[in-house]
């Protein structure tokens, strides 16, 4: 029962994000969306990691709190998320619209929260984190980096969800 409640709370958080996007959608400058789309479609996991860091902003510092090496741990998690995004883009959804890649990415993150592994990529960094460090659903759901990663994925899906024919590079 506890795991179902935990996952439901994550889904409520994402629904609240969606409500906020309705207010801010028209305030995002088109050239920022174009640069973001280009980065996601063509760049390496390192470039995507920096984009994800830019999107999460001060949330990383707040989430890290006063825990020694907390910021490093959250950055490692977000880098693992960037690597998973590249796997989704280049392997799982190769040649598909960016919206499909973003949707797949968010689905993989939600699956990871529930099960601690990415089925298609059991040896990716995020799967290893779920198997070695955050081994229960409750640990994964309560990890501040999980909320940050899911909010990054949802933000990108909202603002870039309408591809207008854009495809990934493969």
């Amino acid at each position: 029962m506890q795991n179902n409640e935990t996952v439901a709370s994550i889904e409520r958080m994402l629904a609240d994000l969606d409500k906020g996007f309705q207010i801010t959608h028209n305030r995002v400058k088109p050239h920022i969306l174009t640069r973001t789309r280009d980065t996601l479609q063509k760049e390496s996991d390192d470039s995507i990691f920096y984009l994800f860091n830019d999107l999460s902003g001060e949330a990383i510092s707040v989430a890290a709190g006063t825990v020694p090496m907390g910021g490093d741990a959250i950055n490692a998690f977000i880098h693992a998320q960037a690597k998973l995004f590249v796997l989704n883009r280049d392997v799982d959804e190769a040649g598909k619209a960016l919206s499909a890649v973003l949707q797949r990415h968010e689905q993989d993150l939600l699956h990871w929260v529930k099960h601690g592994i990415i089925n298609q990529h059991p040896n990716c960094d995020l799967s290893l984190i779920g198997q070695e460090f955050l081994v229960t659903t409750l640990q994964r759901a309560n990890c501040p980096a999980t909320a940050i990663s899911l909010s990054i994925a949802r933000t990108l899906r909202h603002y870039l969800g309408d591809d207008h024919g854009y495809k990934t590079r493969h």
Side-chain angles (χ1 to χ4, degrees):
M1 186 68 168
Q2 180 76 16
N3 288 346
N4 290 336
E5 291 173 14
T6 302
V7 172
S9 69
I10 289 172
E11 291 170 353
R12 283 191 300 275
M13 176 199 74
L14 293 173
D16 287 343
L17 280 173
D18 288 338
K19 290 176 191 172
F21 294 142
Q22 294 171 2
I23 297 167
T24 62
H25 187 77
N26 293 330
R27 296 184 181 159
V28 177
K29 296 181 173 139
H31 74 278
I32 292 172
L33 295 177
T34 301
R35 281 198 327 242
T36 301
R37 185 177 287 113
D38 289 345
T39 298
L40 291 172
Q41 290 173 328
K42 301 172 187 168
E43 298 295 330
S44 69
D45 58 84
D46 287 332
S47 295
I48 292 170
F49 164 72
Y50 291 118
L51 172 66
F52 287 177
N53 269 341
D54 288 346
L55 283 171
S56 56
E58 295 301 314
I60 293 172
S61 296
V62 171
T66 59
V67 177
M69 306 294 285
D72 291 340
I74 291 175
N75 276 327
F77 189 100
I78 294 171
H79 203 261
Q81 177 193 10
K83 289 179 179 183
L84 175 63
F85 179 85
V86 171
L87 285 170
N88 289 153
R89 180 191 70 195
D90 294 351
V91 177
D92 302 322
E93 301 292 325
K96 292 190 178 174
L98 184 58
S99 61
V101 178
L102 290 168
Q103 181 175 358
R104 170 63 178 268
H105 185 67
E106 184 177 299
Q107 289 171 346
D108 279 353
L109 289 172
L110 289 168
H111 183 272
W112 177 85
V113 171
K114 294 175 187 174
H115 304 285
I117 193 164
I118 306 298
N119 286 341
Q120 296 80 4
H121 306 288
N123 296 316
C124 75
D125 290 352
L126 201 57
S127 289
L128 298 177
I129 290 170
Q131 295 167 31
E132 296 178 19
F133 301 106
L134 301 172
V135 296
T136 68
T137 301
L138 191 59
Q139 288 174 323
R140 290 185 295 276
N142 288 336
C143 176
T146 300
I148 292 169
S149 291
L150 285 167
S151 66
I152 290 168
R154 182 57 60 100
T155 301
L156 292 170
R157 278 192 62 207
H158 175 78
Y159 288 107
L160 302 175
D162 187 6
D163 286 314
H164 304 292
Y166 292 100
K167 303 284 186 210
T168 55
R169 66 177 170 172
H170 295 283

